[in-house]
Amino acid sequence: MSKINLNQEIKTIEKRLQQLIKSEDATLEAASHHLLKSGGKRVRPLFVILSSYIGPNQANEAAYRVATALELIHMATLVHDDVIDYSDKRRGKLTIEKKWDKPTAILTGNFLLARALEYLSYIKNPEVHATLSHAITEVCRGELFQFQDQFRADQSMTNYLRRINRKTALLIQLSTEVGAMTSGADAQTVRTMRQIGHYIGMSFQIIDDILDFTSTPEKLGKPVGSDLRNGHLTLPVLLEMRQDPNFKAKIASLHPGASDALFTECIEQVRQSDVIAQSKEISTRYLNKALQELDQLPNDALKPLFKKLIDKLQHRMR
């Protein structure tokens, strides 16, 4: 197996993304470029490329196409998320809707999705297309569940886990699963890679939900507690509701027009609570499951690179 340079892989993906957002329509290209240059960890493409080393046909053209297309699909979901949530900022910059308008944002998301599908059409493996199509449908369902669960204080932990599985874990699960598929790995290895991606994705979203309370507006690129202000009850909130009936009553009284003081009070209570440590523990449990699965893999050279990426995700909490 040739030596993998993660930084070099990111540069390769960036070049492909720059090419793919070119358009005959200046507005679509400018809006896509605005989103692309706002940054992003490129976690999904890296997991695709790493996973494509698991089988005999390593890091081939299909793997790079899947890696790039998945990042475009992820970008498309971000643009549409921002429209649904009426968000002003994304990674510290104005959202496409705020910089242009709502129609431009929706059409930019559609454009990025179309570009991704066009780029994937090169791949001849029908299993890759079927897996991707099914997952994108599930991501849409996750978004719908999130919309339906807004400001709903009686939702269960199962609601939350189902939602983050469809909204976030699925695209990371896809990265490892389809990355392995492109390499010609056997069915059992593909299943193991899928499971690794699922656990990493669940942990990744829980970390994001913790950071929404514990980080700063500068690092988040949006106000602290934005999820709660948008009516999204995440793991720290659900855990605090479980242990404090008064807090649960406050959450039940929240609505889009509730006072800023009430939102701030709820956010501060979560920030000061031990539910942050509890949430970190749950996130770590998912990561440990991923590491256990990783140890089952035959390719020892890949393990330290996966662990390096997983460590990067964990360090975001520190």
Side-chain angles (χ1 to χ4, degrees):
M1 181 177 124
S2 56
K3 190 165 170 57
I4 308 168
N5 181 324
L6 293 180
N7 289 331
Q8 194 53 52
E9 296 295 355
I10 288 177
K11 283 179 188 166
T12 302
I13 297 296
E14 289 295 335
K15 275 185 196 164
R16 289 183 179 233
L17 288 169
Q18 292 284 359
Q19 282 299 314
L20 281 172
I21 62 168
K22 288 184 175 168
S23 169
E24 290 171 11
D25 185 281
T27 305
L28 283 177
E29 186 171 329
S32 300
H33 184 67
H34 173 74
L35 183 63
L36 188 63
K37 74 175 184 188
S38 71
K41 295 168 280 292
R42 309 295 182 239
V43 168
R44 292 152 199 84
L46 280 178
F47 278 126
V48 175
I49 301 304
L50 274 188
S51 303
S52 77
Y53 278 90
I54 201 72
N57 188 12
Q58 299 178 344
N60 56 75
E61 178 61 17
Y64 282 99
R65 285 187 176 248
V66 168
T68 312
L70 265 186
E71 190 66 7
L72 287 175
I73 291 166
H74 171 59
M75 286 167 64
T77 64
L78 296 183
V79 180
H80 288 161
D81 274 4
D82 289 340
V83 172
I84 292 165
D85 288 339
Y86 305 102
S87 300
D88 293 345
K89 293 275 183 81
R90 164 70 62 185
R91 297 168 183 156
K93 292 188 165 58
L94 286 176
T95 58
I96 293 175
E97 182 181 356
K98 283 291 164 193
K99 192 168 168 64
W100 282 272
D101 50 39
K102 186 182 284 189
T104 301
I106 292 168
L107 292 168
T108 301
N110 294 352
F111 165 70
L112 292 169
L113 187 56
R115 272 282 191 262
L117 296 175
E118 180 188 18
Y119 204 53
L120 289 166
S121 65
Y122 160 93
I123 299 168
K124 302 298 180 228
N125 184 343
E127 193 184 0
V128 166
H129 294 288
T131 306
L132 286 164
S133 302
H134 174 72
I136 295 167
T137 305
E138 288 299 302
V139 169
C140 293
R141 289 183 73 203
E143 189 62 57
L144 197 59
F145 286 136
Q146 177 164 290
F147 190 65
Q148 290 165 349
D149 285 340
Q150 265 180 312
F151 291 106
R152 197 162 73 76
D154 64 342
Q155 65 187 271
S156 65
M157 198 66 74
T158 306
N159 277 69
Y160 166 76
L161 294 173
R162 179 186 67 175
R163 201 167 66 230
I164 69 167
N165 177 41
R166 287 196 167 101
K167 267 189 60 82
T168 304
L170 253 173
L171 283 184
I172 295 181
Q173 177 182 303
L174 258 187
S175 304
T176 53
E177 180 182 15
V178 180
M181 269 181 203
T182 63
S183 75
D186 62 79
Q188 180 53 53
T189 303
V190 170
R191 274 196 298 275
T192 303
M193 295 305 294
R194 171 192 168 94
Q195 207 56 44
I196 289 169
H198 166 72
Y199 290 138
I200 292 170
M202 294 296 280
S203 172
F204 185 80
Q205 185 55 51
I206 292 168
I207 292 170
D208 261 10
D209 293 344
I210 294 165
L211 289 173
D212 192 58
F213 288 100
T214 61
S215 193
T216 61
E218 293 73 33
K219 282 185 183 169
L220 289 169
K222 58 183 179 178
V224 171
S226 288
D227 287 334
L228 187 58
R229 292 176 194 277
N230 285 322
H232 305 321
L233 309 190
T234 56
L235 184 61
V237 174
L238 292 170
L239 290 172
E240 186 68 11
M241 282 165 61
R242 188 188 273 180
Q243 65 187 30
D244 182 346
N246 292 332
F247 179 77
K248 185 171 183 178
K250 277 185 205 168
I251 294 295
S253 72
L254 290 175
H255 56 87
S259 71
D260 187 57
L262 183 56
F263 278 112
T264 303
E265 191 183 323
C266 292
I267 290 161
E268 276 309 307
Q269 180 164 340
V270 172
R271 278 170 70 92
Q272 304 305 322
S273 172
D274 66 346
V275 296
I276 297 297
Q278 289 176 40
S279 299
K280 285 181 182 178
E281 170 59 30
I282 293 168
S283 170
T284 302
R285 258 185 260 161
Y286 275 113
L287 273 190
N288 287 340
K289 284 182 179 179
L291 291 169
Q292 282 167 13
E293 292 284 340
L294 200 56
D295 283 335
Q296 308 304 313
L297 293 175
N299 190 330
D300 286 333
L302 264 187
K303 291 174 190 176
L305 287 165
F306 262 99
K307 285 174 182 171
K308 188 176 176 182
L309 255 188
I310 288 170
D311 278 348
K312 264 189 177 179
L313 299 186
Q314 274 188 308
H315 274 93
R316 291 159 62 229
M317 283 201 294
R318 291 172 194 161

